[in-house]
Amino acid sequence: MTLYELLQKLSNIITPEDDAFYRYAIYTSDDNGGFLRTRYCWRKDKPIQDKELGNGFETVLVTSKHKINTADMNNEFDTLVKLQITYSMTNATLEDADWDIQLNYCYVYIFDLKKHDYTMTYIENPCP
């Protein structure tokens, strides 16, 4: 599976009516090697680079600083949805979000690619 294919699968789950999540991820993210993080602007001229990830993805970790409002993903003037999308794990769990939570990405989404569904959990950051 490629990174673009994985993002399309996530998009088909959270924004099945359009490809808003997919477009948002490829045009607003920086690839940090193992995870994507939203930057502060859209760069339509330079999407993240596609790459081979391998197979076996069952669950994928996506975290956000605020509850994801999919309508905000269509706003091409700002990056209102602050995300981290972890692609380095093929079977992510809630416990895998500890580092994200320390960075205030406290809305934890676990996408189940087999069930074509996701769960969202809010975890308050224990850091002062």
Side-chain angles (χ1 to χ4, degrees), residues 3 7 25-26 29-38 48 83-87:
L3 179 58
L7 293 173
I26 68 169
S29 297
D30 287 321
D31 190 343
N32 294 286
F35 70 98
L36 305 177
R37 182 181 292 156
T38 310
I48 56 171
L83 299 173
Q84 288 194 156
I85 304 168
T86 303
Y87 63 81

Side-chain angles (χ1 to χ4, degrees), residues 75-90:
N75 179 347
E76 296 183 14
F77 301 104
D78 200 354
T79 54
L80 301 172
V81 183
K82 302 301 182 195
L83 299 173
Q84 288 194 156
I85 304 168
T86 303
Y87 63 81
S88 60
M89 295 177 269
T90 57

Side-chain angles (χ1 to χ4, degrees), residues 22-53:
Y22 175 79
R23 286 183 310 99
Y24 192 82
I26 68 169
Y27 289 112
T28 68
S29 297
D30 287 321
D31 190 343
N32 294 286
F35 70 98
L36 305 177
R37 182 181 292 156
T38 310
R39 54 183 170 242
Y40 288 93
C41 63
W42 281 71
R43 291 195 339 210
K44 288 205 157 200
D45 58 330
K46 191 174 181 186
I48 56 171
Q49 187 173 353
D50 196 13
K51 61 183 169 185
E52 185 62 41
L53 299 179

Side-chain angles (χ1 to χ4, degrees), residues 5-17 57-59 110-119:
E5 289 170 339
L6 178 62
L7 293 173
Q8 187 64 62
K9 286 180 184 254
L10 299 177
S11 186
N12 290 344
I13 294 170
I14 197 163
T15 57
E17 65 283 348
F57 284 90
E58 294 181 20
T59 56
I110 302 292
F111 284 77
D112 189 320
L113 300 183
K114 291 186 179 216
K115 293 181 181 175
H116 199 74
D117 197 6
Y118 69 90
T119 58

